[in-house]
Amino acid sequence: MLITFEGIEGAGKSTQIKLLEKYFKKIKRDFLVIREPGGTPISEKIREILLNPDHNLENETELFLFLASRAELVKKVIKPALKKNKIVICDRFIDSTMAYQGYGRGISKSFISLLNSYIVKDIKIQRTYLLDYAPEAFGIRIKDRTMDRIENNNIDFHKRVREGFLKIAKKNKRRFLVINALEPIEIIHKKIIEDLTNFI
Ligand code: T5A
């Protein structure tokens, strides 16, 4: 079973994934947590290239690097884990590419969709939790950290990404649960567990 977490920067994905890990440990379920970009030695190297604020990448270069990282992760980690019936929790996946490179950067959405399908093939995402908040609150959530290359984009970019995520969720209502990311951490966790119990 593949579960993905999506949302703009600082939406609380990692926070919720940590709580979900604790929950799966408690109920003794076999699970695996991965993040995108990253999750394999090569994908982690690609991550360094992608997020380094000193790099000036063309939009197309950025797109193909995210996809290259995903291709490694899907073949080397996700598929084998799903074959063993593990629960795979992924911090960002295909919807991030559509939201950031499609809605954010303006690259053709049908092209991205085609490339995503080519890489992911028959893998089915069971649930996607979209942690949503208006990027006007953006500064609050990341104020203690150095901004990476993508976080460095202006507020209009992050607004487009957020709108993109909401449109993707609307088109995929059966897969998505949209959650207000400004609610308390424990309340969000409870909502996720309540939802997940219908599927696990
Ligand atoms: N990207 C990625 C693309 O452009 N295309 C793609 O195809 C893919 C896969 C990845 C970057 O790559 C881009 C998107 C990203 O820009 P990353 O470092 O992995 O970079 O970035 P994020 O996934 O955005 O990680 P963040 O750490 O920024 O966000 P999280 O994980 O959503 O947020 P989290 O949990 O670290 O929380 C942030 C802060 O908020 C607090 C936490 O304690 C923390 O301090 N917090 C809350 N505070 C109040 N109420 C709540 N409910 C809270 N939840 C968390």
Side-chain angles (χ1 to χ4, degrees):
M1 175 183 187
L2 176 59
I3 304 165
T4 63
F5 281 77
E6 299 281 6
I8 61 169
E9 333 289 324
K13 298 175 297 297
S14 322
T15 306
Q16 290 303 325
I17 289 172
K18 275 187 202 125
L19 291 176
L20 193 55
E21 279 184 58
K22 274 191 193 161
Y23 173 76
F24 282 138
K25 273 183 196 155
K26 201 172 100 188
I27 64 165
K28 297 189 169 41
R29 292 296 297 259
D30 201 6
F31 68 93
L32 176 75
V33 176
I34 45 183
R35 68 170 179 185
E36 275 217 348
T40 75
I42 296 293
S43 306
E44 289 294 330
K45 283 188 177 164
I46 298 174
R47 180 184 176 91
E48 281 167 34
I49 299 172
L50 276 164
L51 300 187
N52 187 331
D54 298 333
H55 291 167
N56 177 12
L57 301 179
E58 297 300 333
N59 289 345
E60 293 76 9
T61 314
E62 180 182 275
L63 170 69
F64 286 111
L65 284 173
F66 276 117
L67 293 164
S69 164
R70 179 164 307 135
E72 283 292 305
L73 186 66
V74 165
K75 276 204 160 178
K76 293 199 164 85
V77 180
I78 298 181
K79 276 195 170 179
L82 291 176
K83 254 191 172 171
K84 288 180 193 155
N85 280 328
K86 279 193 183 188
I87 298 174
V88 179
I89 307 166
C90 199
D91 191 342
R92 298 191 178 282
F93 200 47
I94 53 169
D95 303 310
S96 277
T97 316
M98 188 57 86
Y100 281 83
Q101 281 64 52
Y103 287 91
R105 301 282 193 225
I107 297 176
S108 159
K109 294 173 194 66
S110 52
F111 183 53
I112 292 175
S113 182
L114 187 77
L115 293 170
N116 264 337
S117 316
Y118 175 71
I119 289 168
V120 168
K121 295 204 171 69
D122 52 345
I123 288 179
K124 187 175 172 256
I125 306 170
Q126 189 86 43
R127 293 306 279 157
T128 298
Y129 297 105
L130 173 58
L131 301 174
D132 173 62
Y133 76 105
E136 285 78 346
F138 178 70
I140 300 165
R141 290 283 181 96
I142 57 161
K143 67 172 188 268
D144 296 335
R145 294 195 280 123
T146 317
M147 305 265 262
D148 68 36
R149 198 182 56 80
I150 293 174
E151 285 168 344
N152 260 330
N153 283 286
N154 64 32
I155 194 78
D156 286 341
F157 173 81
H158 294 288
K159 278 185 183 171
R160 287 199 300 279
V161 173
R162 185 216 180 188
E163 289 308 316
F165 272 128
L166 290 172
K167 282 183 187 158
I168 300 165
K170 217 172 168 185
K171 278 188 206 156
N172 297 276
K173 277 196 181 120
R174 291 181 64 182
R175 167 162 69 89
F176 270 81
L177 180 66
V178 182
I179 302 173
N180 177 1
L182 300 179
E183 287 192 298
I185 291 171
E186 277 304 327
I187 300 281
I188 298 175
H189 176 60
K190 212 172 150 212
K191 284 187 176 172
I192 292 170
I193 299 302
E194 267 170 21
D195 178 80
L196 259 183
T197 45
N198 297 315
F199 299 91
I200 55 171

